[in-house]
Structure formats: C-alpha cells, structure tokens
Amino acid sequence: MMYKDADYYIQHLGLEAHPEGGYYKSTFASEKTYDAFGKTRKQYTSIYFLLGEGDVSHFHRLKSDELWYFHGGSSLIVHVINEEGDYVEHKLGLDIANGESPQVLVPRNSIFGSSVVATGKFSLVGCMVSPGFDFEDFELFTQSELLEKYPQHELIIRKMAYEKL
C-alpha cells in the first residue's frame, strides 16, 4: 500500500494539534468505568496519533499504562525514562528483523515522548490508555525539571522536553 503524506491523514482523519506535539483524534472510549486515582475513569480510551518529520511528542507522564500500535508511514521511536530512572528506546514499526515491534507498552508513571526515525516523513500510530486518558492525569515537563532529576540523560532530555512551558 502506498502511504499518503502527513497532511492527507491529518485532513481525512480529522486530526488536531496535541499539546505534547503532533496531531491526534480520540477514536474510542469504554462505556464501562471504574474508580482509579480517586476519580471515576473510563476503562480505556484510544486515539490516532501522528507525528510529522522533525516533530516530537515532548516528554510527559501519565498515571496509566499506554499501549502504542503502528498504523503506517515511517517507524517511530518511543523514548522512555522509567520509574527507576533508566532510559529505554523502543522502535515502533514493522521491521521486526531490525528490532522494531508493531506494539509498544509504556508503563504507567514513566516519562516518555516519541519522534519519527531520522529518515522518516511521518508516523501514524494508535494509542490505547488504561485506565482511560484524562488530561487531569497528564503531566508535561521542561528540560530544567528533568535535567535536575536525570542529568545522565541530558542529550535526550534536550531533544524531547520543552525548554519552557
């Protein structure tokens, strides 16, 4: 299948700008709810998410697990600083023989962001969050906040975090 360009998907899927970077559209939300984090949350939510060439999804944290699914375009790198402070790079894509995976799990409370591979034009993925996403559970970070806690990851933090919010 020949993939269109990023603008094609932004227009035809009705994607809009996301505060962390890139474009998104909510697609599904569970009708079932339960108590999580002292509030009522949907069991799961799902979105389309698109990053264009040179875009980054800036470092942020969720209270929930987030499962990423590759849909098309170029491969995506999901950058994660886990709760132990270790940096892990996951490659989301279909080139399995070269270390990519069509699904990637980002565990709750991890700090993470994403970027299109260096030679890529755009990446279209899906993200499912459980318990369901709520902006109240979403936390963006500045470079200075992260450098204070994780100075050993300076290069990736300077690439993936906002200088100022």
Side-chain angles (χ1 to χ4, degrees):
M1 175 182 173
M2 182 69 123
Y3 294 109
K4 308 289 184 183
D5 64 11
D7 289 335
Y8 173 87
Y9 291 104
I10 292 167
Q11 179 184 357
H12 287 86
L13 293 174
L15 306 179
E16 55 190 65
H18 195 290
E20 79 196 40
Y23 299 86
Y24 81 109
K25 180 180 181 180
S26 295
T27 55
F28 298 102
S30 171
E31 291 184 16
K32 294 190 177 199
T33 60
Y34 60 98
D35 291 332
F37 320 123
K39 303 258 181 173
T40 300
R41 293 284 187 262
K42 297 202 176 273
Q43 206 169 45
Y44 68 87
T45 56
S46 185
I47 64 168
Y48 286 126
F49 185 68
L50 183 141
L51 277 182
E53 182 178 21
D55 292 339
V56 297
S57 163
H58 291 90
F59 271 142
H60 61 286
R61 177 170 44 206
L62 300 178
K63 293 180 181 179
S64 301
D65 290 336
E66 185 166 42
L67 190 56
W68 291 57
Y69 302 93
F70 182 77
H71 291 311
S74 305
S75 302
L76 190 74
I77 300 171
V78 182
H79 306 270
V80 179
I81 300 174
N82 63 27
E83 285 191 279
E84 292 75 34
D86 300 317
Y87 171 72
V88 182
E89 184 178 287
H90 300 282
K91 293 180 181 173
L92 186 65
L94 298 179
D95 192 355
I96 297 164
N98 286 312
E100 294 180 2
S101 177
Q103 295 182 53
V104 168
L105 176 67
V106 176
R108 68 189 55 160
N109 298 320
S110 296
I111 295 167
F112 66 104
S114 59
S115 60
V116 178
V117 295
T119 58
K121 298 293 182 193
F122 75 94
S123 184
L124 176 63
V125 301
C127 301
M128 188 197 67
V129 176
S130 179
F133 179 83
D134 189 304
F135 270 106
E136 189 174 301
D137 304 330
F138 175 82
E139 188 178 4
L140 270 174
F141 294 95
T142 63
Q143 291 176 5
S144 60
E145 289 172 317
L146 293 176
L147 287 170
E148 186 176 313
K149 190 164 184 180
Y150 307 107
Q152 71 274 29
H153 304 308
E154 181 177 2
L155 289 177
I156 197 64
I157 287 170
R158 292 208 182 277
K159 176 183 176 182
M160 299 302 301
Y162 283 110
E163 193 170 333
K164 296 178 183 177
L165 291 178

